Each structure stands twice: as C-alpha cells, then as structure tokens.
Amino acid sequence: MRKVNLLSPRAALLSLLLPAIWISPTSTVLAADCETKIGAVLPTSVDWGRPIAETAQFAVDLFNESGGVKGCDIDMVLRDSQVDPKIGVDAAKALVDLDKVPLLLGAVSSGVSMPILTSVTVPSGVMQMSCCSSSTGFTDVAAEGKTNGLWFRTFATTRNQAAVAAKLVQDKGYKSVGIFYKNDDWGQDIGKLVKADLEKLGITVTTSVAINDAQPSYRAEVTEALKTKPEAVYMALYPAEGISVTREWVSLGGTQKMVVANSLKSDEYRDGVGFQYLSDVIGHDSAPPRTDSADSFTAMYKEKFDSEPNGPGLPNIFDAVMISLLAMEAAPELTGAAIAAQVGKVTDPSGTPVNADAAGLKEARALLADGKSLSYQGATGAVVFDANGDVSAPAVAWTFTEDGTAEAAYYPLADVDTFIATLSK
Amino acid sequence: MLQSLFDGILVGSVLALGAIGLTLIMHILRFANFSHAELLSLGAYFALTFDAVFGAVSNVLVQKLPWLSVTWSLACAVLIAMALTGATAAIIDLLVFRRLRRLAGPLTMVFASFGVSLIVRNVIGLVYGLRSTHYNNDIVFAMMISADPLLLVKADQIFIMCLALVIMVALHLVLTRTSIGYTLLAVSENPTLAQVNGINLGATVRLAWMLGGGLAAIAGFCYALNNQLSPVMGRDLVLSLFAAAIVGGIGSIYGAVLGGLIVGLASSLALIIIPAGYKPAIPFLIILATLYVRPNGLFGQSR
Amino acid sequence: MSSVARLDVSELTAGYVAGMPIISSIDVTVGVGEIVAVIGPNGAGKSTLLKAIAGLCHIESGAIHVDGTEVTGIRTDKLTRSGIAFVPQIENIFRSMTVEQNLILAGRRCDKQASSHVEKMLSLFPLLKKTYKKRAGELSGGQRQFLALAMALVAEPGLLLLDEPTAGLAPIAGQEVLSILREIANPGVGILLVEQNAKAALGLADRAYVLADGHNQHEGEARAMLSDPVLGEIYLGGRRRGDHAAKPV
C-alpha cells in the first residue's frame, strides 16, 4: 500500500488534530427485517482511510438494495484501526468475540492485517479479506498453510510489482543493475524480490544497498554502489531520500539509466532531482484494469460521491466487499470456513461473468441458486485469487515528462501473469 | 577507501562547525539543547532567501564564484544568514530559555528545547514548504581525481572544507588571542569565577548564542550546498551533532572539531565493513563507546 | 577615607534559596588596611557570608556598604569591577587557560592598562613568572593559590575577600600564602579572611569574628582571642566539650 504510507506522517498529524470521524452504518433502504453482521477494521481516523470505509459501506448498501444475503440485510460493524497493530487487533477481537462476525474486512496496512490474521481471525475460524495489504509476508504465511484458506486480498502484492520491474530492466536490455532500496518492510521486500527476479533473468545485480530514513548524507551509500559500476540502477525509494540519493548518484558520475518504483512517480521527485537528469528513467506502477466493469464502478462511485475514485484502495475495498458477500450468499452456512470455501466459486474464471451492479447481483443470485459458478467482474477487473489468496493486477510503465508523467506501456493482467509464471519456473 | 576518507572528512568538518556551537551552549548553560540543530536549518534557509533577494537586486551578483556553484549573491546571503541566525538564537534564549533557567531545572530546559525545535522546524515547513530544495538546481558533477583507488571530488566540497578550516582557525585565534575569547572560555569553564572576575554573565551568554547561531548558519549552508535544504535537515543532523559534542567532551571546542571528524569518518568508513542498513546506529555506537572508555569525552573535564 | 570602613555589613540575612537563610543578622566590619578573620566550625556559614558580600547569594535582609557606598544586591561582575575582589575556596582559577591568560582576564576588569598590572603581580609573586605560559590546571596547589591571589589583586581592589586560602595546602605552602597578606594589607587594602586553621588566622589578623550556626557568636581582638581559654578549647585545636561543640547546620 504505497500511497498510503507516503501520506502517513501528515495523516497521523491530522488524526491528532481532528476528532475521529465516525461513519454510521446507515443503510438507506432496509429491505429485510433480519440482519447479518459482518466486521470491518479500517483506519477511519486518518484522512486516506475514511474514503475506504465509505466505499465499503457503499458496496454493502448496494448489496442490501439488491436483496441482501439470504434475504437478510448486512450490517457492517466498522471499527477504527488507527493504523496501529495493537488497536487493530483489539478492534478485530471485539468484532469476533462480541459481534460474532463470520467475516472481517481489513485492515489496510500489512503491519495491522498480519497480527489480526495470525492472532484473531485464523484462530477463531473467521474469514478475512483485505483491500490493501501488499506485503509478500502473507503469501509466505498462506503457503505454509497457516491461514487455513481464510485469507484473501484484492490488492496485488509487491511480488507483482517486482516482476514488472524486472521486466522493464530486461526490456531495456540492461546487463547489470545496482539496487537502492528503502530500509523498511516494503523496500526490503521489493528489493529482495527484484534482485531474485533479475538474477533469474540472467541480469547481474552488482550491489543491493539499503537506504535508511532521514540520514544527513547518502554519499557513503552511493559511493559503495558506484564502486560496483552497474550499467543501470533500480530504485525502490520514497521521494524524500530518493531525491538525495539520485542527485548524489548523478553528481558522482553514476549512470542516468534508472528503473524506479511507483513510489517515485511524483512531481516532488521530478522537480527535486531536476527533469533534465531523468530523461532515461522508466518506472513501474500497478494500473486499474481497462475493462467495462472497472468503468462502471467509476461511474457508480461518481454518482454516489460526486468525485473520482482516486484515493488508494477504493476499487479494491469495493471488490473485497462484493466478493465476500457473494461468497456468503453462496455458502450453505455462515461460518468463516464455509464462506471462504465459496470465494473460488464466485471468482471462477470459467464461470458466468456477472457485473457488480444491481442487475448483475440479481443475476448472480439466480446463478448461485442453481448451483452454478460465477466470474465476478468488478472494479479491479475479473478478480482471480490464487491458492494463497493473492490477486494479480495489470501494470503500466511510465516516464517523466516536462509537466508530469506519461504512460510508456500497458501490461494487461494476462501479460503480467505469464511473465510471473516464467519467473516462477 | 580513499573516497570514504575524503567523504568522512567533508561530512566531519560540517558536523564540527555545528557541534562547536552546541558544545558551547551545552557547557555554559548546562543543558542539552536539542533545538540547536534547527539553527542549521534556519541558517540554510535564511541564506536561500537572501540569495534570491540579492539575485533580484543585481545582475552582477548572479555570477558564480570561479570554479564553484556558489553565486556572489549566495556568498553575501550567507553573511546575512549568520547574523540573523545568531540573533534568532539569542532571541529564543531571551523568550524561552532565560526564563526557564531562573524558574526550572535542567530537565525542563531539555524538554523546552524539544518544543523549540518542533516550532522552528514547522515554521520553516510552513514558510518554505515541506519539499527539499537546492541553492542551485543544476547538479554539480564531480571530477574524478583518481580512478583506482576511486576519488571523486567536487570543487564545492573543497570550498566547504577550506571554509570550515578557515573558520576553525579564526575561532581558535579569537578564543586564544582576544579578550572576547578569554571571556567565552572563562564562562564556559566556570561561570561563577567568571563573574567574580568582572565578566557580565548575561552578555556573555548572549554572545555565546550568537556565536553558536552564526556557526550553525555556516554549517547549515555547507550541508545544504553539499546535500539539500529541507525543513527536516536539523532533525536528520541532531544525533550526529550530539555524538560529535559528546565524543569531544562537552564544552571543549577542539573536542567538538575532533568529535565531528570522528563521527563523519566513522559513518563513512563503516559502510566498508557493515551493510548500509545499519548505518543509523553508528553515531549511537560512537557515543556509547566513548562514554564507556572516557565518560567525559576525549577532551572533557570532570566536574 | 579613613573614617569610613572598607566593609560594613549590618544585620545581614542571606542564603542560596529564597526563604531558606544560611546566615542571619550578621554584623561585620573591616577597616582600611585591616585584616579581619572569620572563624568557626564547619557549616557555620563562613563561606556563605563571603559569597553574600560578593553578590553570589540571595539576600533576605540587611545591608552591605563598601567604602561607604551601599552595594547590597548589586551584580557580582559590577561589584568586582568596582574595587572588591573575591577568591573562592576551590575552583578559583581557570584551569583550561594559561597563567598569562588568567591574569589578563582578571586584569581586564579594571580600567587601567592591564599589562602593567600583570607585571606588578609577577614581581609580587615571582613563582608565577616561571609558569607564565603553563596551563593553570597543571600548577601545584600552592601555585594555584598564588595565582588566585594574583588574579584578585591585579585589579587593585580596596577590599579582598578570601575563602580558606590555605585549605588543602601543605603547611609550609599555607604559611607562605598567609604571610603575604600583611604585605597586601599595608597600603590600605581591607582583607576579610575565612579560615579553618583558626590559630594561623588569628596569629595574622587584627580582629576576628566567630560564627556558629549562621550567627555572630563572638567578636574581638585576634590576639585576645588566641589567649582566650574557652575559645581555645572549642576552636583552636583544644579538646571539644560536648555542650559547646557546634552542630553542623
């Protein structure tokens, strides 16, 4: 969840200044007189977390209007995580123990989702679906069989981005690469993955240098990398230290052939370094799918909120809610394991495609009643989970221009998946 | 190795300039002033502002100094920045620390200094924005002095080293040859005895703040010239400055110079041995090692 | 001039923290060219008295006159620039500075040409000539005490306040320090001397005060006190009698 982390210092400050804003789980139409509770743990007290919670409630309302789950309205009990693992775990515990929810949506940050998964949902047999956690740590936990198939996320993992980074290096024809990575969970994760992927592609990684926060000077780090004389560099950094490292690197005569992560796709970085030094830079980023279902989500969102769904994780939380509720509808009983078992049935690539609007949901109910499987077409396209509960995503390559960034290439989901498959061999 | 030595001395000389003011104030006023590092930011930004002002006033001043990326207007701006930063330091003392010295204990002063540093940092962010900037947006390319062993040097960096050296020598002469120097040394060693010898304590404290502030402005300018200006540059430097002051021994100006060089060299050379991810621990390790072997620092005197 | 005392302390109550006086209602006078000793047990408030006169204490009540001018509550640096010199018991020199720098710094507080005064001090204390360029921290105890005296005298004060100048010195060095005081007093300098070594102090002084528990206990001619049997018992090295022994404050 890159963008979220970028904002966090300011967001944290805001959360101190503003009282926590409580979003009341009002359902506009109460179609049924019975209610089924589900839980959500989201950072509603920070400015980028609120739209995520609002979008979740929007999806729940849509689903209720189309008839709810098994004829009952869904009541989403929302609790604030404050982007704090301890508070998040407490909130999840309360939802599972007191509200007896079989399904938990959340959290946003990997650091909050992980302790909830391992200490709350898995031990209690509750299904958990996150909109936004990107750490590859979840993949490892799931692969070890420790999630009991209860974990899903609708956000493409760092793995996905790392593969695209390696692809860009390969496409550019660079033979040797030095890596600068931010010394935090995300940076270590992607740095390690990119290094492994490049080596698998036969590209030499001359060095892999950790860059810490808030250092007075990065000269020593840059010098270390410079000594290894790479043909190009890969940078998984944030703008603050990215500017310092890049300027130091260029001034010491380092190559201006650079591949950079989505975190540097910002005006701050471009202006800070100077556009004239960034003409040979190519970056990678995940991209919204270019499908009708994604466009229809944008249209629905605009109608409801009167703005573009530009915040981080909005399409992802929408799909997380819809897929979870469809699985509940399909499940013979409302337990975590039973619901989780049906997620595959509603996101089956060979199933009947259904859209996430009123008509589509109606159709979905009918198909499920007949025991048929669906292929859910949502805000992030045709969602397909792998055995570890991970999804893939389309990607874009981008370059800097005089006044912003421009797309250099679009890699549809199929291309990304094929490439990752070749890397995994 | 050669490159790391050069870089270490460069970073060290900038740290030394900042640490001199810190050690003076810590010694004279007996409290750890965490807001000192913000004076570096303040000085750097004052220089940025007056560079723009002078640049707009005269075309001649926009010319660069020979070899360097520093313009005449920036050079003049640094002088103004020194005076203004010194004055600001004295005013902060007048408004905050002087009152607390009378009414509260040293711990309160330390907390107050944290508060002051937050205020200064945020005011800078408010006025200049949170993004990092540069005196000159063009990247100055380094000259390769030698390929093996690798040695890359920028003219600006030689300038910074020379400037730091000149200032330290000048400071040494002032302290050892002039009565102002004697006054400062006397007050920093023993304020009571200094008063007994007819020294006006309040005036000397003000002088120390102004001197510390002026040196901080130069250090901030040098740092920003070699790296970048950012509202958080003080925060990034504060630990290294304290390490330099503590290693040298609180109150010792020559200790602060040596401490700055030790911290700069250690941070630079350590990367040859340890992975870059552990670099932030180095100032802490130096502080710990020094306090373990010599609790009063290399040049410090026990009280 | 001679009709006015160098120092006239009356009803002085002072301490280090407001509301917690260490000495109370102390009266002390020092005449022109007079050496006055203040003796008493540890914690009697002798040092506090000197510091109060030098402007380094919180004064609750009372008045201090120097040469007939009231100086109560005046800042230390102003006092010491106008004819008062104070030699603290410990840390009375700047250890990090050379002997020369110490003397120049001390001489700066009078308006007159400092170098000629420094010359005068070097002739008065020839010992300091040899160590002129040495760091003061490297001097021996006796040399330090002479330097401290020289620093006090270089500004030609009318009143000299000395806090235990022989403390921590070898007996011979202590004698040397005390013997020079008469020389200093002769031209008219008033000296107020606090001493632990009461016998030596009374042997040198013209008059003396005995302090205990922060109060004036006794006042008189120094010679007379030396021969007073009771005082001798208590303060001058005789055996202490339980009832009369002063408690530390």
Side-chain angles (χ1 to χ4, degrees), chain A residues 183 209-210 212 214-217 219-221 223-224 226 243-244 247-248 250-252 268 271-272 276-277, chain B residues 3 7 131-132 134 136-142 152 154 157 223 227-228 235-237 240 271 276-277 279-280:
Chain A
N183 200 18
V209 182
N212 286 294
Q215 291 300 292
S217 164
R219 204 177 152 89
E221 288 88 335
T223 306
E224 283 304 297
L226 205 63
I243 293 170
S244 310
R247 283 184 72 103
E248 197 78 75
V250 169
S251 80
L252 294 181
E268 180 183 1
D271 299 344
Q276 64 266 43
Y277 309 108
Chain B
Q3 181 76 53
D7 294 345
R131 290 183 180 185
S132 57
H134 302 88
N136 182 345
N137 277 323
D138 293 330
I139 294 178
V140 180
F141 292 94
L152 296 157
K154 293 184 216 173
Q157 294 170 335
Y223 171 80
N227 298 282
Q228 71 278 318
R235 183 201 66 190
D236 296 353
L237 283 165
S240 300
L271 288 203
K279 189 179 151 195

Side-chain angles (χ1 to χ4, degrees), chain A residues 88-164:
Chain A
V89 165
D90 286 348
K93 267 209 178 94
L95 290 169
V96 168
D97 294 344
L98 302 178
D99 294 312
K100 309 277 182 214
V101 300
L103 167 70
L104 190 84
L105 297 164
V108 170
S109 311
S110 296
V112 183
S113 299
M114 184 62 93
I116 292 178
L117 180 69
T118 53
S119 70
V120 182
T121 50
V122 169
S124 319
V126 169
M127 174 177 140
Q128 183 181 349
M129 192 177 289
S130 166
C131 61
C132 313
S133 297
S134 67
S135 164
T136 52
F138 295 100
T139 309
D140 300 338
V141 173
E144 288 165 21
K146 287 179 186 161
T147 60
N148 299 342
L150 293 166
W151 162 256
F152 302 90
R153 52 178 155 175
T154 51
F155 194 90
T157 68
T158 309
R159 168 88 210 78
N160 192 294
Q161 285 294 305
V164 178

